Amino acid sequence: MQEQEVKKLTMDDVAKELGVSKTTVSRAVSGKGRIGEETRQRVLDYIAQHNYKPNVMAKGLANNRTYNIGMVLQADLLSSDLPFFPKALKGISEVAAKEEYDVIMTLVDTNDLSRLARVIENHKVDGLILMRTLQDDKPAEMLKKSDIPFVTMGLSDDPQVFQVDNDHVDACRELTSILLLKGLRKIAVVSGDTNYVINRKRLEGFYKAHEELGYTPDESLIFTDVDSELFAARVTDTILMRNVNCIIGADDLLTSLVLKKLEEENMMIPEDMRLASFHDSQLLKAARAGITAIKFNTEELGRETCKVLLRRIRGEEVPQVTKLAYEVAMRESTK
Amino acid sequence: MQEQEVKKLTMDDVAKELGVSKTTVSRAVSGKGRIGEETRQRVLDYIAQHNYKPNVMAKGLANNRTYNIGMVLQADLLSSDLPFFPKALKGISEVAAKEEYDVIMTLVDTNDLSRLARVIENHKVDGLILMRTLQDDKPAEMLKKSDIPFVTMGLSDDPQVFQVDNDHVDACRELTSILLLKGLRKIAVVSGDTNYVINRKRLEGFYKAHEELGYTPDESLIFTDVDSELFAARVTDTILMRNVNCIIGADDLLTSLVLKKLEEENMMIPEDMRLASFHDSQLLKAARAGITAIKFNTEELGRETCKVLLRRIRGEEVPQVTKLAYEVAMRESTK
DNA sequence: TTGTAGGCGTTATCAG
DNA sequence: CTGATAACGCCTACAA
């Protein structure tokens, strides 16, 4: 449409063109400081016409800001094919964009925090969001030592950590209660890496439900740290020999693996075995029976977490813990 | 371990402390320019001891660089639950980190490129990667007008666009050939949004295989722009009434939806219907029969794309098109 | 209300 | 081989 812009316009260019000083332009742009309404309009008009945009680098250098926030996640969360991360990103990005912030992704590994260290040392972000909390949370420890504000997506027992998450304890408690009240007493749990706080919280809810209703869970039916298809198949085998009524998969990936094994063994759901899961993603769409699952609005979680972080960056007061809701979707699989 | 660092060390601090000039320190750090070996070591030692890190903002301002690259993706790619994006990110992040680059995520929408526009105007990145190419590629058009180097993950017919991708035409051609040579002649295709070049390329390969072997595909068995579970179910119904031998799902999500419908109809795979897919992700893990699929190494794709982009940023020569390999995984579903 | 001048932390140029 | 000094583009006292 227009001629291509050969050179970026700077504040100085605008000032000279308009015969005013850079200060004046700066004030018009930022809205800070006193400035005549007429001049203000003149500057703003010119800027709009000529498409001037302040240089973020220079702005950042001057007031020590980057207008970036960081998202830190364990690389293995990416390998899992669980849609948690993309959904969360969507929510975060939405809120960040509204405040003119961009999102930098930083991957870490249990043994390698170097990329996170770099982001911090290089001042590449104004604040960080930690996706998922860990029992032994090295990234959080590292951040506590720096002066960069951060918020975790996932609960933490550390009172120094600002955290936002769905209430997984209560979610799993409610799900378990429902199952128990349906008369299902022999419930097996197939859960993942116990270093993730989330998996611990879910188990906590499982126990809590039993306690509240006066039942005693069978510890030998609780399988944790299941981390492969083979392991899941073996666990399912074991479960099948134990006269179990119902299986709770701690996430959709595990549930889908269990489901696969069940189908191989020609078990009918819900007739031969009840099944419940977390997250309700596409991973379970291929199942013939609808699978009962706890639904979390992960986009919403992303949005809320980002809001909390932005408030912290601005130095506003925020609650140390924010718990979000969940929803139980009952389907045929637990009929 | 150490006392907490109250204030960031600047180059000036280092210079003063060592009794040399900033220039000298700069040279020691960057390795550019002549400097005495002894001084160099002295500076480097001091820096290591006191953990000095150059300020990226200042560096960026001085040489007009951000040390960030951008990843642009359609928001709907995030909703799809396909693991394409996370895998690609992993590869990109790996290469970028090696070169001290960080990755900024930018989401766009067919009707809303504002976030991309902001990233460009604000100089937040030194280059961009476009995830997936579109038939009507607004983001690419926008970038061509700017002077920021960019590379697409996905092929494009635009000779001005630097592109990296697996050879989808050939992959689908090979898959189709194999199926045809197995004697399957009535093959249906269930494909997604034709605005994505990738879906067109796959169809292209499908036709090519028929042509090469002298068969004529049944156009009425080709369903494009299938974008919902309901639509997929309807299409599958139609296919079932048409005496079809085999269905090719254009991605794992569509295949899983087709599969679900097939199972609901009690169709046995491969006895009653053969099925083949693309990508081989966890989405199909729940299927009882292993599903034949084309496998792409998406992490590798991410790495290669990022390498090409970094070369472009450095102003090096790069091929305009880079095609990567694929692999056919034959499973029971097409026996 | 507006302008001047100095600073943010680096790199690059040009002397010495 | 090393050191002033001027950019880079914006912000902000402090002056006028």
Side-chain angles (χ1 to χ4, degrees), chain B residues 8-9 21 47 53 87 103 121 157 163 173 200-201 203 209 229 259 266 273 291 317 328:
Chain B
K8 262 290 185 190
L9 228 49
S21 77
I47 279 174
K53 286 275 177 177
K87 293 266 166 56
V103 179
E121 287 166 343
D157 294 325
Q163 41 193 284
R173 185 200 55 71
R200 291 174 177 259
K201 291 289 172 192
L203 270 186
E229 185 167 350
L259 179 63
N266 291 310
M273 179 68 81
I291 305 291
E317 281 293 323
V328 183

Side-chain angles (χ1 to χ4, degrees), chain B residues 40-76:
Chain B
R40 210 180 75 87
Q41 265 315 325
R42 207 158 59 92
V43 174
L44 255 28
D45 284 351
Y46 184 91
I47 279 174
Q49 304 264 307
H50 297 71
N51 192 34
Y52 159 79
K53 286 275 177 177
N55 178 315
V56 187
M57 282 290 148
K59 204 158 121 183
L61 182 60
N63 49 216
N64 203 27
R65 288 254 189 144
T66 64
Y67 302 96
N68 288 144
I69 60 172
M71 244 176 111
V72 181
L73 75 170
Q74 319 293 123
D76 60 342

Side-chain angles (χ1 to χ4, degrees), chain B residues 301-317:
Chain B
L301 174 57
R303 280 191 292 268
E304 289 308 313
T305 313
C306 192
K307 280 183 199 162
V308 170
L309 178 61
L310 291 175
R311 285 201 203 102
R312 287 212 59 197
I313 290 176
R314 287 192 223 100
E316 298 171 22
E317 281 293 323

Side-chain angles (χ1 to χ4, degrees), chain A residues 287-299:
Chain A
R288 269 167 309 168
I291 306 291
T292 290
I294 302 285
K295 295 172 78 159
F296 302 104
N297 187 336
T298 307
E299 269 188 61

